[in-house]
Every structure is written in structure tokens, then in C-alpha cells.
Amino acid sequence: MAKTMCIQNFTFGATGETFEAGVEYDVPAATLKANPDYFEKSAGRPSNKMAATDEDKSAGGDEAAEDTEEATEVAE
């Protein structure tokens, strides 16, 4: 189920469930597809995704690149 914000009051006919505007609900994907005008997707990310990390750009990486360039020049 996806967490969504209801943007307009409505009653889902198949289940008779009432949704109020401004309230966040856990709604099945089928209900979202059938009624896209009544819900807004939340900006949250799934809980099973790994947190974003920055690339390690420490000085050690630059030295390794310089060593490779020097080795290439010597080989030529």
C-alpha cells in the first residue's frame, strides 16, 4: 500500500470507505489507479531503499590516479 494524501472528500464505491481531504491514508495501488483525481502521492521514499551516500573524494584517490599516469609514461 502507498501512503497518499487525500485532496478531495469522496467515498470509494466498491468498499464504501470514506476519505477526507487533508488526511494521509495507506491506500492500495488499485484504488489509486482507479481514483487518481482524489489522491496526491507523498514525497517519501520507500523504507527498503538504501540511504543516499556521497562519493568519497578524499586525497587518496588523486594519488592513485597520478601513480597510474606515471606508470604509463614509464612504460612508453
Side-chain angles (χ1 to χ4, degrees), residues 51-57:
T53 58
D54 291 332
E55 183 180 343
D56 181 16
K57 296 182 178 179

Side-chain angles (χ1 to χ4, degrees), residues 29-64:
T31 303
L32 292 176
K33 278 188 171 183
N35 303 289
D37 297 335
Y38 298 105
F39 294 102
E40 178 180 277
K41 285 193 174 184
S42 296
R45 63 180 184 84
S47 60
N48 63 342
K49 296 291 182 179
M50 190 168 85
T53 58
D54 291 332
E55 183 180 343
D56 181 16
K57 296 182 178 179
S58 61
D62 293 337
E63 291 172 2

Side-chain angles (χ1 to χ4, degrees), residues 11-38:
T11 302
F12 185 55
T15 62
E17 190 173 359
T18 302
F19 298 94
E20 295 181 25
V23 180
E24 190 172 64
Y25 294 95
D26 282 330
V27 183
T31 303
L32 292 176
K33 278 188 171 183
N35 303 289
D37 297 335
Y38 298 105

